[in-house]
Amino acid sequence: MTKMEADNRMGQGRSSAGDSGPTPFTLWREVLVAYLAPALMAGAGGVVGGQPDLVVAACTSIAGTSAIVAALVGGRLRRVGVRRTWLTSTPRVVPPLVLATAVTALAALVGWFVAGHVPERIIPHHGSWPDRLRLDLPLSAALATTIVTWRWRGAMRDRRPTA
């Protein structure tokens, strides 16, 4: 084994300092960041603002929705994204806008349904969390979809054949 082969094997696909390409799209990292970023930011805002409901929502409905949406959208993009030519042939801003609009509308419907149809007999004394879902779900879904699609598209840019 030559020194170059050994160096390549040690790096296992990681980019070196001289490599200018973006890091590859790794779904588990995207999901982890999609959970941690809103949980830390919204949680910190809740602590600083003295809003215990926001601290709880930061770790549940806000960050949880972001992670679930990132996993679903990212997984779908990895499976069928390259075969869908509009995802890679249109300007980079188009796929995040289209997908974020669709996923946000779906999340808003889910939030509206849950907030309006959580009966007191199923979850007694549920407090205000169902009402928060009307805002938390679509906002988290919009941000997660936009970021994941943008990062996926950036990773796909370098995999297209050059002429």
Side-chain angles (χ1 to χ4, degrees):
M1 181 182 305
T2 66
K3 177 158 176 42
M4 186 185 307
E5 289 172 342
D7 289 342
N8 287 339
R9 183 174 247 189
M10 294 284 290
Q12 295 291 325
R14 295 182 187 138
S15 61
S16 63
D19 192 10
S20 64
T23 58
F25 184 82
T26 308
L27 186 57
W28 70 267
R29 280 189 217 143
E30 300 297 330
V31 173
L32 183 64
V33 170
Y35 182 84
L36 290 177
L40 293 173
M41 295 305 293
V47 168
V48 170
Q51 299 174 353
D53 286 349
L54 181 57
V55 175
V56 171
C59 298
T60 55
S61 63
I62 297 171
T65 300
S66 291
I68 290 169
V69 168
L72 293 172
V73 170
R76 184 74 175 160
L77 286 171
R78 284 181 61 191
R79 277 192 306 279
V80 301
V82 179
R83 291 180 278 175
R84 306 276 188 208
T85 57
W86 74 272
L87 288 170
T88 55
S89 63
T90 58
R92 189 173 180 185
V93 73
V94 172
L97 283 175
V98 170
L99 293 177
T101 301
V103 172
T104 301
L106 182 63
L109 285 173
V110 169
W112 170 78
F113 180 76
V114 171
H117 294 88
V118 174
E120 186 70 29
R121 66 179 180 271
I122 293 175
I123 304 174
H125 312 293
H126 54 67
S128 66
W129 73 265
D131 295 332
R132 289 193 59 89
L133 295 181
R134 290 185 177 147
L135 178 65
D136 291 351
L137 295 184
L139 186 60
S140 296
L143 291 171
T145 302
T146 303
I147 292 168
V148 166
T149 307
W150 186 267
R151 290 180 50 81
W152 174 84
R153 178 65 190 269
M156 291 300 107
R157 178 185 61 218
D158 291 340
R159 294 185 185 187
R160 287 186 292 181
T162 58

